[in-house]
Amino acid sequence: MSDGVITGGEIYQVSPAMISSYFEYMTTEYTTYTAGRGMLLIQLSGPNLGEPWSADAARGMLRRAGRRADLPGRIKPHAFRHTFTSAILDASGNDSFVAKEAGNWASAQTVDEVYGHPDQHSPEFIHALRTVWGEVE
């Protein structure tokens, strides 16, 4: 931090929806309780009002949101990282280097080993499945 400006570090790209949500949060709820603390997610009620969220608080918020939306099962924060990485791989033609950078992974090899998969919508993939299933002669 230099003269109230964050310098250095890394810059990541985010979606327009994420920017909009972040802006709304920062200009409404966040400013009411932080008083210059510089934390991103803060508790808005209870005995720890204005304190940073704990990991349990994030999981609790997702659990409540999932119930309100009638979603089956539990929503785990780490699942967002997995879903995002798979979507980036699909959109980039399985370019693990693009997925590594977009998801801030340590290595493209990790992305390949954990998430690497063929484009399940490609004609080649569909043809291969149909061949193995005996549908193509």
Short mmCIF file of all heavy atoms in Angstrom, two decimals, residues 49-99:
data_model
loop_
_atom_site.label_atom_id
_atom_site.label_comp_id
_atom_site.label_asym_id
_atom_site.label_seq_id
_atom_site.Cartn_x
_atom_site.Cartn_y
_atom_site.Cartn_z
N LEU A 49 -19.82 -8.05 14.46
CA LEU A 49 -20.17 -7.08 13.43
C LEU A 49 -18.93 -6.33 12.95
O LEU A 49 -18.15 -5.84 13.75
CB LEU A 49 -21.17 -6.08 13.99
CG LEU A 49 -21.64 -4.97 13.06
CD1 LEU A 49 -22.63 -5.54 12.05
CD2 LEU A 49 -22.31 -3.87 13.85
N GLY A 50 -18.73 -6.30 11.62
CA GLY A 50 -17.60 -5.58 11.04
C GLY A 50 -16.31 -6.38 10.98
O GLY A 50 -15.34 -5.94 10.37
N GLU A 51 -16.29 -7.55 11.58
CA GLU A 51 -15.09 -8.41 11.53
C GLU A 51 -15.08 -9.19 10.22
O GLU A 51 -16.11 -9.38 9.58
CB GLU A 51 -15.09 -9.38 12.72
CG GLU A 51 -14.92 -8.69 14.06
CD GLU A 51 -13.59 -7.99 14.17
OE1 GLU A 51 -12.55 -8.58 13.79
OE2 GLU A 51 -13.56 -6.83 14.64
N PRO A 52 -13.90 -9.69 9.81
CA PRO A 52 -13.85 -10.46 8.56
C PRO A 52 -14.61 -11.77 8.68
O PRO A 52 -14.75 -12.33 9.77
CB PRO A 52 -12.36 -10.72 8.36
CG PRO A 52 -11.73 -10.49 9.67
CD PRO A 52 -12.60 -9.55 10.44
N TRP A 53 -15.11 -12.23 7.55
CA TRP A 53 -15.77 -13.54 7.51
C TRP A 53 -14.77 -14.63 7.80
O TRP A 53 -13.62 -14.58 7.40
CB TRP A 53 -16.29 -13.80 6.12
CG TRP A 53 -17.68 -13.36 5.84
CD1 TRP A 53 -18.42 -12.47 6.54
CD2 TRP A 53 -18.49 -13.78 4.75
NE1 TRP A 53 -19.64 -12.31 5.96
CE2 TRP A 53 -19.70 -13.11 4.85
CE3 TRP A 53 -18.29 -14.65 3.70
CZ2 TRP A 53 -20.73 -13.28 3.95
CZ3 TRP A 53 -19.31 -14.82 2.80
CH2 TRP A 53 -20.52 -14.15 2.92
N SER A 54 -15.27 -15.67 8.42
CA SER A 54 -14.48 -16.89 8.57
C SER A 54 -14.86 -17.82 7.42
O SER A 54 -15.86 -17.60 6.72
CB SER A 54 -14.80 -17.56 9.90
OG SER A 54 -16.15 -18.00 9.91
N ALA A 55 -14.10 -18.87 7.23
CA ALA A 55 -14.44 -19.87 6.20
C ALA A 55 -15.81 -20.48 6.52
O ALA A 55 -16.61 -20.73 5.62
CB ALA A 55 -13.37 -20.94 6.13
N ASP A 56 -16.09 -20.69 7.81
CA ASP A 56 -17.40 -21.23 8.20
C ASP A 56 -18.53 -20.28 7.81
O ASP A 56 -19.61 -20.72 7.43
CB ASP A 56 -17.45 -21.50 9.70
CG ASP A 56 -16.67 -22.74 10.09
OD1 ASP A 56 -16.41 -23.58 9.20
OD2 ASP A 56 -16.34 -22.88 11.28
N ALA A 57 -18.29 -18.99 7.91
CA ALA A 57 -19.32 -18.01 7.53
C ALA A 57 -19.63 -18.10 6.04
O ALA A 57 -20.80 -18.06 5.64
CB ALA A 57 -18.87 -16.60 7.90
N ALA A 58 -18.60 -18.26 5.22
CA ALA A 58 -18.82 -18.40 3.77
C ALA A 58 -19.59 -19.67 3.47
O ALA A 58 -20.54 -19.66 2.67
CB ALA A 58 -17.48 -18.40 3.03
N ARG A 59 -19.21 -20.76 4.12
CA ARG A 59 -19.93 -22.02 3.90
C ARG A 59 -21.38 -21.90 4.36
O ARG A 59 -22.30 -22.41 3.71
CB ARG A 59 -19.21 -23.17 4.60
CG ARG A 59 -17.95 -23.61 3.88
CD ARG A 59 -17.37 -24.88 4.49
NE ARG A 59 -16.75 -24.67 5.78
CZ ARG A 59 -15.49 -24.29 5.95
NH1 ARG A 59 -14.71 -24.09 4.92
NH2 ARG A 59 -15.00 -24.12 7.16
N GLY A 60 -21.60 -21.22 5.47
CA GLY A 60 -22.97 -21.04 5.98
C GLY A 60 -23.82 -20.22 5.02
O GLY A 60 -24.99 -20.54 4.78
N MET A 61 -23.24 -19.17 4.46
CA MET A 61 -23.97 -18.34 3.50
C MET A 61 -24.35 -19.17 2.28
O MET A 61 -25.48 -19.11 1.80
CB MET A 61 -23.11 -17.14 3.09
CG MET A 61 -23.79 -16.17 2.14
SD MET A 61 -23.66 -16.54 0.38
CE MET A 61 -21.93 -16.64 0.13
N LEU A 62 -23.43 -19.97 1.79
CA LEU A 62 -23.73 -20.82 0.63
C LEU A 62 -24.78 -21.87 0.98
O LEU A 62 -25.65 -22.18 0.15
CB LEU A 62 -22.45 -21.49 0.12
CG LEU A 62 -21.48 -20.56 -0.58
CD1 LEU A 62 -20.16 -21.27 -0.86
CD2 LEU A 62 -22.08 -20.03 -1.87
N ARG A 63 -24.71 -22.42 2.17
CA ARG A 63 -25.70 -23.42 2.60
C ARG A 63 -27.10 -22.79 2.63
O ARG A 63 -28.06 -23.35 2.10
CB ARG A 63 -25.32 -23.97 3.97
CG ARG A 63 -26.19 -25.10 4.46
CD ARG A 63 -25.70 -25.76 5.75
NE ARG A 63 -25.19 -24.83 6.76
CZ ARG A 63 -23.90 -24.63 7.03
NH1 ARG A 63 -22.97 -25.28 6.37
NH2 ARG A 63 -23.53 -23.76 7.94
N ARG A 64 -27.21 -21.60 3.21
CA ARG A 64 -28.52 -20.92 3.26
C ARG A 64 -29.03 -20.55 1.88
O ARG A 64 -30.20 -20.73 1.56
CB ARG A 64 -28.42 -19.69 4.16
CG ARG A 64 -28.24 -20.03 5.64
CD ARG A 64 -28.30 -18.80 6.53
NE ARG A 64 -27.29 -17.81 6.23
CZ ARG A 64 -26.02 -17.84 6.67
NH1 ARG A 64 -25.62 -18.84 7.44
NH2 ARG A 64 -25.18 -16.88 6.36
N ALA A 65 -28.13 -20.05 1.02
CA ALA A 65 -28.53 -19.69 -0.34
C ALA A 65 -28.98 -20.94 -1.11
O ALA A 65 -29.95 -20.89 -1.86
CB ALA A 65 -27.37 -19.01 -1.07
N GLY A 66 -28.29 -22.04 -0.91
CA GLY A 66 -28.67 -23.29 -1.56
C GLY A 66 -30.03 -23.78 -1.13
O GLY A 66 -30.84 -24.25 -1.95
N ARG A 67 -30.32 -23.64 0.16
CA ARG A 67 -31.65 -24.03 0.66
C ARG A 67 -32.73 -23.15 0.06
O ARG A 67 -33.78 -23.63 -0.35
CB ARG A 67 -31.69 -23.94 2.18
CG ARG A 67 -31.18 -25.18 2.86
CD ARG A 67 -31.53 -25.17 4.34
NE ARG A 67 -30.35 -25.61 5.05
CZ ARG A 67 -29.74 -24.95 6.02
NH1 ARG A 67 -30.22 -23.81 6.46
NH2 ARG A 67 -28.66 -25.42 6.57
N ARG A 68 -32.48 -21.82 0.04
CA ARG A 68 -33.48 -20.90 -0.54
C ARG A 68 -33.75 -21.20 -2.01
O ARG A 68 -34.86 -21.04 -2.49
CB ARG A 68 -33.01 -19.45 -0.40
CG ARG A 68 -33.17 -18.89 1.00
CD ARG A 68 -33.00 -17.38 1.02
NE ARG A 68 -31.73 -16.93 0.50
CZ ARG A 68 -30.62 -16.78 1.23
NH1 ARG A 68 -30.62 -17.05 2.51
NH2 ARG A 68 -29.51 -16.34 0.67
N ALA A 69 -32.72 -21.67 -2.72
CA ALA A 69 -32.87 -21.97 -4.14
C ALA A 69 -33.32 -23.41 -4.38
O ALA A 69 -33.42 -23.85 -5.51
CB ALA A 69 -31.55 -21.71 -4.86
N ASP A 70 -33.56 -24.15 -3.30
CA ASP A 70 -33.96 -25.57 -3.40
C ASP A 70 -32.96 -26.40 -4.19
O ASP A 70 -33.34 -27.28 -4.97
CB ASP A 70 -35.35 -25.71 -4.03
CG ASP A 70 -36.47 -25.51 -3.03
OD1 ASP A 70 -36.22 -25.70 -1.81
OD2 ASP A 70 -37.58 -25.17 -3.46
N LEU A 71 -31.67 -26.14 -3.99
CA LEU A 71 -30.65 -26.91 -4.67
C LEU A 71 -30.41 -28.22 -3.92
O LEU A 71 -30.41 -28.23 -2.69
CB LEU A 71 -29.34 -26.12 -4.75
CG LEU A 71 -29.39 -24.83 -5.54
CD1 LEU A 71 -28.06 -24.10 -5.44
CD2 LEU A 71 -29.74 -25.10 -6.99
N PRO A 72 -30.21 -29.30 -4.65
CA PRO A 72 -29.92 -30.57 -3.97
C PRO A 72 -28.48 -30.58 -3.46
O PRO A 72 -27.57 -30.10 -4.13
CB PRO A 72 -30.13 -31.61 -5.07
CG PRO A 72 -29.84 -30.87 -6.33
CD PRO A 72 -30.27 -29.44 -6.09
N GLY A 73 -28.25 -31.12 -2.31
CA GLY A 73 -26.89 -31.25 -1.80
C GLY A 73 -26.31 -29.95 -1.28
O GLY A 73 -26.98 -28.93 -1.19
N ARG A 74 -25.03 -30.02 -0.94
CA ARG A 74 -24.33 -28.87 -0.38
C ARG A 74 -23.51 -28.16 -1.44
O ARG A 74 -22.98 -28.78 -2.35
CB ARG A 74 -23.39 -29.33 0.73
CG ARG A 74 -24.16 -29.90 1.92
CD ARG A 74 -23.24 -30.19 3.05
NE ARG A 74 -22.81 -28.90 3.60
CZ ARG A 74 -22.12 -28.79 4.69
NH1 ARG A 74 -21.76 -29.83 5.36
NH2 ARG A 74 -21.76 -27.60 5.12
N ILE A 75 -23.40 -26.86 -1.28
CA ILE A 75 -22.55 -26.07 -2.16
C ILE A 75 -21.26 -25.82 -1.40
O ILE A 75 -21.28 -25.29 -0.29
CB ILE A 75 -23.21 -24.71 -2.49
CG1 ILE A 75 -24.57 -24.92 -3.14
CG2 ILE A 75 -22.30 -23.88 -3.36
CD1 ILE A 75 -25.38 -23.65 -3.24
N LYS A 76 -20.16 -26.21 -2.00
CA LYS A 76 -18.86 -26.02 -1.36
C LYS A 76 -18.09 -24.95 -2.12
O LYS A 76 -18.02 -24.99 -3.35
CB LYS A 76 -18.09 -27.33 -1.34
CG LYS A 76 -18.79 -28.40 -0.52
CD LYS A 76 -18.03 -29.68 -0.53
CE LYS A 76 -18.80 -30.72 0.28
NZ LYS A 76 -18.16 -32.02 0.22
N PRO A 77 -17.49 -23.99 -1.42
CA PRO A 77 -16.79 -22.90 -2.10
C PRO A 77 -15.75 -23.37 -3.10
O PRO A 77 -15.60 -22.80 -4.17
CB PRO A 77 -16.14 -22.12 -0.95
CG PRO A 77 -17.00 -22.41 0.23
CD PRO A 77 -17.50 -23.82 0.03
N HIS A 78 -15.03 -24.43 -2.77
CA HIS A 78 -13.98 -24.90 -3.67
C HIS A 78 -14.56 -25.41 -4.99
O HIS A 78 -13.88 -25.40 -6.03
CB HIS A 78 -13.15 -26.00 -3.01
CG HIS A 78 -11.87 -26.28 -3.72
ND1 HIS A 78 -10.81 -25.41 -3.70
CD2 HIS A 78 -11.50 -27.31 -4.51
CE1 HIS A 78 -9.82 -25.90 -4.43
NE2 HIS A 78 -10.21 -27.05 -4.94
N ALA A 79 -15.82 -25.80 -4.99
CA ALA A 79 -16.46 -26.28 -6.22
C ALA A 79 -16.51 -25.18 -7.28
O ALA A 79 -16.47 -25.48 -8.48
CB ALA A 79 -17.86 -26.79 -5.93
N PHE A 80 -16.58 -23.92 -6.86
CA PHE A 80 -16.57 -22.82 -7.83
C PHE A 80 -15.28 -22.83 -8.65
O PHE A 80 -15.29 -22.58 -9.84
CB PHE A 80 -16.73 -21.47 -7.14
CG PHE A 80 -18.08 -21.27 -6.51
CD1 PHE A 80 -18.19 -21.08 -5.15
CD2 PHE A 80 -19.23 -21.27 -7.28
CE1 PHE A 80 -19.42 -20.89 -4.57
CE2 PHE A 80 -20.48 -21.08 -6.71
CZ PHE A 80 -20.57 -20.89 -5.34
N ARG A 81 -14.17 -23.10 -7.99
CA ARG A 81 -12.88 -23.14 -8.67
C ARG A 81 -12.86 -24.26 -9.72
O ARG A 81 -12.39 -24.08 -10.83
CB ARG A 81 -11.76 -23.35 -7.64
CG ARG A 81 -10.37 -23.31 -8.20
CD ARG A 81 -9.39 -23.25 -7.03
NE ARG A 81 -8.02 -23.47 -7.41
CZ ARG A 81 -7.17 -22.50 -7.74
NH1 ARG A 81 -7.57 -21.26 -7.76
NH2 ARG A 81 -5.93 -22.79 -8.04
N HIS A 82 -13.42 -25.42 -9.34
CA HIS A 82 -13.45 -26.55 -10.27
C HIS A 82 -14.37 -26.26 -11.45
O HIS A 82 -14.03 -26.54 -12.60
CB HIS A 82 -13.90 -27.81 -9.53
CG HIS A 82 -12.90 -28.30 -8.55
ND1 HIS A 82 -11.80 -29.06 -8.91
CD2 HIS A 82 -12.80 -28.12 -7.22
CE1 HIS A 82 -11.08 -29.32 -7.83
NE2 HIS A 82 -11.66 -28.77 -6.79
N THR A 83 -15.55 -25.71 -11.17
CA THR A 83 -16.50 -25.40 -12.24
C THR A 83 -15.91 -24.37 -13.19
O THR A 83 -16.00 -24.50 -14.42
CB THR A 83 -17.82 -24.88 -11.64
OG1 THR A 83 -18.35 -25.89 -10.78
CG2 THR A 83 -18.82 -24.54 -12.71
N PHE A 84 -15.29 -23.34 -12.63
CA PHE A 84 -14.68 -22.29 -13.44
C PHE A 84 -13.58 -22.86 -14.34
O PHE A 84 -13.51 -22.58 -15.53
CB PHE A 84 -14.11 -21.20 -12.53
CG PHE A 84 -13.39 -20.11 -13.28
CD1 PHE A 84 -14.10 -19.14 -13.96
CD2 PHE A 84 -12.01 -20.06 -13.29
CE1 PHE A 84 -13.44 -18.13 -14.65
CE2 PHE A 84 -11.34 -19.06 -13.98
CZ PHE A 84 -12.06 -18.09 -14.66
N THR A 85 -12.71 -23.70 -13.77
CA THR A 85 -11.61 -24.27 -14.55
C THR A 85 -12.13 -25.14 -15.68
O THR A 85 -11.64 -25.05 -16.81
CB THR A 85 -10.66 -25.07 -13.63
OG1 THR A 85 -10.16 -24.20 -12.61
CG2 THR A 85 -9.49 -25.66 -14.41
N SER A 86 -13.13 -25.96 -15.41
CA SER A 86 -13.70 -26.79 -16.47
C SER A 86 -14.31 -25.93 -17.57
O SER A 86 -14.15 -26.23 -18.76
CB SER A 86 -14.76 -27.74 -15.89
OG SER A 86 -14.14 -28.71 -15.07
N ALA A 87 -15.00 -24.86 -17.19
CA ALA A 87 -15.61 -23.97 -18.19
C ALA A 87 -14.55 -23.28 -19.03
O ALA A 87 -14.70 -23.14 -20.25
CB ALA A 87 -16.51 -22.94 -17.50
N ILE A 88 -13.46 -22.85 -18.41
CA ILE A 88 -12.37 -22.20 -19.15
C ILE A 88 -11.73 -23.20 -20.11
O ILE A 88 -11.43 -22.86 -21.26
CB ILE A 88 -11.31 -21.61 -18.19
CG1 ILE A 88 -11.85 -20.39 -17.47
CG2 ILE A 88 -10.01 -21.29 -18.92
CD1 ILE A 88 -12.04 -19.18 -18.35
N LEU A 89 -11.53 -24.43 -19.66
CA LEU A 89 -10.96 -25.44 -20.56
C LEU A 89 -11.87 -25.66 -21.76
O LEU A 89 -11.39 -25.72 -22.90
CB LEU A 89 -10.74 -26.75 -19.82
CG LEU A 89 -9.49 -26.82 -18.95
CD1 LEU A 89 -9.50 -28.08 -18.10
CD2 LEU A 89 -8.23 -26.75 -19.79
N ASP A 90 -13.16 -25.77 -21.54
CA ASP A 90 -14.10 -25.96 -22.64
C ASP A 90 -14.06 -24.77 -23.60
O ASP A 90 -14.01 -24.94 -24.82
CB ASP A 90 -15.53 -26.15 -22.13
CG ASP A 90 -15.75 -27.52 -21.52
OD1 ASP A 90 -14.94 -28.43 -21.76
OD2 ASP A 90 -16.75 -27.68 -20.80
N ALA A 91 -14.07 -23.58 -23.05
CA ALA A 91 -14.11 -22.37 -23.89
C ALA A 91 -12.81 -22.13 -24.64
O ALA A 91 -12.81 -21.51 -25.70
CB ALA A 91 -14.44 -21.15 -23.03
N SER A 92 -11.69 -22.64 -24.12
CA SER A 92 -10.40 -22.39 -24.75
C SER A 92 -9.90 -23.56 -25.59
O SER A 92 -8.75 -23.55 -26.03
CB SER A 92 -9.35 -22.06 -23.67
OG SER A 92 -9.07 -23.23 -22.90
N GLY A 93 -10.76 -24.55 -25.80
CA GLY A 93 -10.31 -25.71 -26.56
C GLY A 93 -9.32 -26.55 -25.79
O GLY A 93 -8.38 -27.09 -26.36
N ASN A 94 -9.51 -26.65 -24.49
CA ASN A 94 -8.65 -27.43 -23.59
C ASN A 94 -7.23 -26.89 -23.49
O ASN A 94 -6.28 -27.64 -23.31
CB ASN A 94 -8.63 -28.91 -23.98
CG ASN A 94 -9.90 -29.60 -23.59
OD1 ASN A 94 -10.42 -29.38 -22.50
ND2 ASN A 94 -10.44 -30.40 -24.49
N ASP A 95 -7.08 -25.59 -23.56
CA ASP A 95 -5.77 -24.98 -23.41
C ASP A 95 -5.47 -24.84 -21.91
O ASP A 95 -5.97 -23.94 -21.24
CB ASP A 95 -5.73 -23.62 -24.10
CG ASP A 95 -4.33 -23.03 -24.14
OD1 ASP A 95 -3.54 -23.27 -23.19
OD2 ASP A 95 -4.03 -22.32 -25.11
N SER A 96 -4.65 -25.74 -21.40
CA SER A 96 -4.38 -25.75 -19.95
C SER A 96 -3.60 -24.52 -19.51
O SER A 96 -3.66 -24.13 -18.35
CB SER A 96 -3.66 -27.03 -19.54
OG SER A 96 -2.47 -27.19 -20.28
N PHE A 97 -2.86 -23.89 -20.42
CA PHE A 97 -2.13 -22.67 -20.07
C PHE A 97 -3.10 -21.50 -19.85
O PHE A 97 -2.91 -20.68 -18.96
CB PHE A 97 -1.07 -22.33 -21.12
CG PHE A 97 0.07 -23.29 -21.11
CD1 PHE A 97 0.13 -24.31 -22.04
CD2 PHE A 97 1.06 -23.21 -20.14
CE1 PHE A 97 1.17 -25.22 -22.02
CE2 PHE A 97 2.11 -24.11 -20.11
CZ PHE A 97 2.16 -25.13 -21.05
N VAL A 98 -4.14 -21.43 -20.67
CA VAL A 98 -5.17 -20.40 -20.48
C VAL A 98 -5.87 -20.64 -19.14
O VAL A 98 -6.06 -19.72 -18.34
CB VAL A 98 -6.18 -20.41 -21.65
CG1 VAL A 98 -7.38 -19.52 -21.33
CG2 VAL A 98 -5.52 -19.97 -22.93
N ALA A 99 -6.25 -21.89 -18.87
CA ALA A 99 -6.94 -22.22 -17.62
C ALA A 99 -6.04 -21.95 -16.41
O ALA A 99 -6.51 -21.47 -15.38
CB ALA A 99 -7.38 -23.68 -17.64
#
